[in-house]
C-alpha cells in the first residue's frame, strides 16, 4: 500500500504542476495533508453520523441504563476484558449484575428485577461462559419451557430428567456448575462430586423415554427413576473465585480484594479506570492483586519485569526496571496483594513505571484521614527531602499535568484557481473510485 501511495503522490504533484493548478510545494503540502487526514479523519457526513450515534447512546445510557449496559455486554460477550469493564461500570451506576443461573439466564445477557431490591438488574448470559456454546444453552432453555411457560427446575433430579444432559455435554455442565449456574440445587463442590451420577441418571432417563418405556403420564413403566443424592460438601471460596476468573474472565460473586477494599481505597491515588486521567510522569499509587508476571532480559543482559495487577475495576500494567526488579521481584507473586508507587508513562492505556512496592496494606490505614503524601522519589534523602505534592483521596480529583499536545499539521493554502482534468484523459485511471453509498440511503 505504501508504494501505491508514493506512486500516486508523484502523479498528483506532477499533474498539478503541469496543468498550472499550483506549484510543487503547494501540491506536496496538500497531498501530505491528505495522508495525515487519512490516518484517522472524518468527512462532515461521517462526523455528523458519529455525533448522532453519540447523542443516541448517551440518551439510552441516561434513561435506560440497565438495558444499555446489558446490550453492551452482549455485543462483547466473547471479550472478557470488555465484559469486566462494563460490569464494573454497571455496578458503579448502581446496577446489580447477577451470576448465571439455569433457572433465569438466557443465552445473552438479559434484564430482570433484582430479588432483593426489586430494581432492574442484569443477569449474566450462559452463552458468555467459556466452553458453553449455543447447543447446551438451547437444550436447557427448551427444557425450562413447559406448555409455553417458563417453569423453573425444582431440584437437581428435576433438572436431570427434563434436560437431556447428553446434549449439554459433561464439559459444559461442569463449567456451568463452576460459575454458579446450578447453585440453587446445591454447593458447587457437591455438584462437581456428583457430576458423573448426574449425567448417567439423565442419560438413563432419556434412553428409557426413547425406547418407549415411559408411561403416558411421564413415568417409567416398571423402571425406578435413578435419584441423585448430592453430597453436602463445602466449596472453598478461593476455588469458586478462581473458577469464575477462569471461565467468566472476571470475579463475579465476590472479589479477592473485597476484604481489603476500604483500606485500598484510602491508600491509592488512582485505580485502573482513573489511571487514564493521570498525566505523563505524574506520580501515582495503585494497588491490587498480582495476576501475572513476566521477566525480560535487556540488551545489557539484566533482568526486568512486567507485572499485571488487578484491582476491583480492571487491570493495570506495571513496568519494573532492572534495579527495582532486583529489589522487589520476590513480592511479585501471583495472588499477592501489593501497593505500588511509581509514575504514569503517558501511554494509552497508561502503564505504571514502578519505584517502590509494599505488601503491608494496613500501613496505609494508620495514616490519618484526609490527604496523604507519596514517599520521596528513590535516591533522595528521605530525612531532609521536602514532602512532594499531595495525592488526593478518591473523593477528590487527582492533580493532573497536561498531556503533551500533538504538533499542529500545516494546512496548505487552497489553489487560486481550479482547472478541471481534460475530458478523455487517462492520466489518473488507476486511482481507486470513491466508495458507493449504501443502497438504502436516499
Amino acid at each position: 500500500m505504501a508504494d501505491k501511495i508514493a506512486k500516486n503522490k508523484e502523479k498528483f504533484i506532477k499533474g498539478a504542476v503541469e496543468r498550472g493548478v499550483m506549484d510543487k510545494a503547494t501540491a506536496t503540502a496538500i497531498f501530505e495533508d491528505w495522508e495525515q487526514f487519512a490516518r484517522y479523519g472524518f468527512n462532515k457526513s461521517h462526523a455528523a453520523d458519529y455525533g448522532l450515534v453519540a447523542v443516541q447512546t448517551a440518551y439510552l445510557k441516561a434513561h435506560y441504563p440497565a438495558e444499555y449496559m446489558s446490550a453492551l455486554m452482549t455485543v462483547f460477550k466473547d471479550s472478557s476484558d470488555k465484559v469486566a469493564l462494563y460490569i464494573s461500570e454497571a455496578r458503579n451506576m448502581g446496577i446489580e449484575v447477577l451470576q448465571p443461573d439455569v433457572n433465569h439466564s438466557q443465552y445473552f445477557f438479559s434484564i430482570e428485577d433484582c430479588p432483593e431490591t426489586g430494581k432492574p438488574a442484569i443477569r449474566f448470559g450462559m452463552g458468555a461462559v467459556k466452553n458453553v456454546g449455543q447447543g447446551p444453552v438451547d437444550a436447557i432453555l427448551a427444557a425450562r419451557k413447559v406448555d409455553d411457560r417458563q417453569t423453573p427446575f425444582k431440584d437437581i433430579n428435576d433438572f436431570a430428567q427434563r434436560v437431556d444432559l447428553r446434549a449439554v455435554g459433561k464439559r459444559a455442565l461442569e463449567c456451568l456448575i463452576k460459575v454458579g449456574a446450578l447453585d440453587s440445587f446445591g454447593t458447587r463442590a457437591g455438584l462437581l462430586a456428583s457430576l458423573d451420577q448426574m449425567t448417567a441418571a439423565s442419560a438413563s432417563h432419556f434412553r428409557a423415554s426413547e425406547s418407549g418405556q415411559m408411561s403416558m403420564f411421564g413415568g417409567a413403566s416398571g423402571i425406578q427413576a435413578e435419584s441423585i443424592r448430592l453430597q453436602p460438601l463445602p466449596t472453598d471460596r478461593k476455588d469458586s473465585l478462581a473458577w469464575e476468573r477462569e471461565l467468566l474472565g472476571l470475579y463475579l460473586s465476590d472479589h479477592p480484594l473485597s476484604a481489603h477494599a476500604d483500606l485500598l481505597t484510602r491508600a491509592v491515588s488512582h485505580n485502573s479506570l482513573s489511571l487514564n486521567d493521570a498525566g505523563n510522569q505524574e506520580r501515582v499509587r495503585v494497588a491490587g492483586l498480582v495476576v501475572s508476571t513476566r521477566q525480560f532480559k535487556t540488551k545489557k543482559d539484566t533482568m526486568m519485569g512486567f507485572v499485571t495487577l488487578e484491582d476491583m475495576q480492571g487491570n493495570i500494567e506495571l513496568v519494573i526496571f532492572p534495579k527495582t526488579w532486583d529489589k522487589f521481584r520476590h513480592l511479585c507473586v501471583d495472588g499477592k496483594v501489593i501497593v505500588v508507587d511509581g509514575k504514569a508513562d503517558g501511554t494509552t492505556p497508561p502503564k505504571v513505571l514502578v519505584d517502590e512496592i509494599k505488601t503491608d496494606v494496613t500501613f496505609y490505614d494508620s495514616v490519618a484521614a484526609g490527604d496523604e503524601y507519596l514517599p520521596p522519589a528513590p535516591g533522595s534523602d528521605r530525612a531532609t527531602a521536602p514532602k512532594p505534592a499531595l495525592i488526593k483521596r478518591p473523593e477528590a480529583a487527582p492533580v493532573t499535568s497536561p498531556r503533551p499536545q500533538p504538533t499542529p499539521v500545516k494546512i496548505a493554502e487552497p489553489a487560486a484557481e481550479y482547472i478541471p482534468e481534460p475530458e478523455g484523459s487517462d492520466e489518473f485511471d488507476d486511482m481507486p473510485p470513491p466508495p458507493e453509498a449504501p443502497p438504502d440511503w436516499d
Side-chain angles (χ1 to χ4, degrees):
M1 180 59 70
D3 57 336
K4 292 183 179 179
I5 293 176
K7 177 184 175 182
N8 285 298
K9 178 178 181 179
E10 183 181 347
K11 295 175 79 172
F12 171 80
I13 295 171
K14 180 181 178 182
V17 172
E18 288 180 352
R19 287 168 172 75
V21 178
M22 62 192 78
D23 58 32
K24 183 177 181 179
T26 304
T28 301
I30 288 177
F31 198 94
E32 289 175 353
D33 286 344
W34 288 344
E35 285 185 286
Q36 180 70 20
F37 183 80
R39 296 172 196 268
Y40 195 76
F42 293 167
N43 54 35
K44 288 184 178 179
S45 60
H46 198 167
D49 286 342
Y50 263 68
L52 178 61
V53 171
V55 171
Q56 291 173 333
T57 53
Y59 178 88
L60 291 173
K61 186 175 182 180
H63 296 281
Y64 301 93
E67 290 81 359
Y68 177 75
M69 297 306 298
S70 175
L72 277 180
M73 294 174 198
T74 293
V75 170
F76 295 102
K77 70 178 181 65
D78 295 324
S79 174
S80 57
D81 288 344
K82 289 192 175 182
V83 169
L85 175 63
Y86 295 141
I87 286 179
S88 176
E89 174 71 7
R91 286 173 170 169
N92 289 338
M93 295 166 64
I95 303 169
E96 186 67 28
V97 180
L98 308 174
Q99 68 184 44
D101 190 322
V102 292
N103 274 330
H104 300 284
S105 291
Q106 305 295 328
Y107 182 75
F108 297 117
F109 289 84
S110 55
I111 306 294
E112 63 179 73
D113 290 336
C114 182
E116 289 79 16
T117 64
K119 296 181 179 179
I122 299 173
R123 176 68 70 174
F124 208 97
M126 289 187 283
V129 180
K130 291 181 181 178
N131 305 322
V132 180
Q134 184 81 50
V137 177
D138 286 346
I140 294 172
L141 296 180
R144 203 167 71 192
K145 185 178 291 187
V146 178
D147 296 330
D148 292 330
R149 296 180 60 184
Q150 293 294 321
T151 306
F153 304 108
K154 299 176 183 178
D155 52 33
I156 191 61
N157 286 287
D158 186 36
F159 178 75
Q161 291 178 18
R162 287 167 56 185
V163 181
D164 188 349
L165 296 183
R166 297 173 300 176
V168 173
K170 187 175 179 179
R171 187 185 186 193
L173 181 60
E174 178 183 1
C175 293
L176 288 171
I177 292 172
K178 285 183 173 180
V179 299
L182 280 76
D183 279 1
S184 57
F185 304 147
T187 66
R188 299 183 195 185
L191 288 163
L192 289 173
S194 303
L195 184 59
D196 290 336
Q197 185 185 1
M198 291 163 52
T199 55
S202 179
S204 175
H205 174 83
F206 280 94
R207 278 197 300 268
S209 176
E210 291 164 357
S211 63
Q213 294 176 304
M214 307 298 290
S215 73
M216 63 181 292
F217 300 105
S221 299
I223 297 178
Q224 182 67 37
E226 184 178 348
S227 178
I228 303 169
R229 296 182 180 275
L230 295 178
Q231 302 177 46
L233 300 176
T235 306
D236 188 274
R237 175 176 173 271
K238 290 184 178 179
D239 289 339
S240 294
L241 295 180
W243 292 332
E244 291 178 9
R245 175 69 182 176
E246 175 191 359
L247 299 171
L248 300 179
L250 67 152
Y251 301 108
L252 189 61
S253 61
D254 201 354
H255 197 285
L257 296 176
S258 296
H260 309 286
D262 292 339
L263 291 178
L264 294 178
T265 299
R266 289 194 290 271
V268 304
S269 65
H270 297 76
N271 59 37
S272 56
L273 294 179
S274 62
L275 190 61
N276 291 295
D277 299 325
N280 186 27
Q281 299 301 305
E282 178 182 345
R283 299 198 65 208
V284 298
R285 175 180 291 144
V286 297
L289 191 74
V290 176
V291 294
S292 72
T293 303
R294 305 176 302 283
Q295 288 195 112
F296 178 79
K297 181 177 289 187
T298 68
K299 293 180 179 179
K300 295 183 179 181
D301 204 31
T302 56
M303 301 302 295
M304 64 179 293
F306 297 91
V307 175
T308 301
L309 204 63
E310 180 180 282
D311 63 11
M312 301 284 282
Q313 290 74 33
N315 290 342
I316 301 170
E317 295 296 327
L318 308 179
V319 179
I320 310 177
F321 293 111
K323 288 184 179 179
T324 311
W325 179 245
D326 288 341
K327 187 177 180 180
F328 296 110
R329 63 191 301 174
H330 66 285
L331 300 179
C332 299
V333 179
D334 287 4
K336 185 178 286 291
V337 178
I338 61 175
V339 181
V340 179
D341 289 314
K343 298 181 287 292
D345 70 350
T347 60
T348 304
K351 301 179 181 63
V352 175
L353 310 180
V354 177
D355 292 330
E356 188 173 11
I357 298 176
K358 287 187 174 72
T359 57
D360 185 8
V361 180
T362 58
F363 165 80
Y364 299 97
D365 192 42
S366 64
V367 180
D371 296 331
E372 181 185 339
Y373 291 100
L374 283 171
S380 63
D381 185 345
R382 291 173 179 264
T384 60
K387 289 183 176 180
L390 285 170
I391 59 168
K392 298 293 183 180
R393 298 295 182 178
E395 55 267 29
V399 179
T400 60
S401 58
R403 293 183 181 275
Q405 298 298 316
T407 304
V409 179
K410 178 184 177 183
I411 305 299
E413 293 295 327
E417 183 181 0
Y418 169 70
I419 302 176
E421 181 181 350
E423 293 185 9
S425 171
D426 59 356
E427 182 74 15
F428 296 96
D429 282 352
D430 59 345
M431 293 289 284
E436 294 183 0
D440 56 343
W441 281 25
D442 293 328

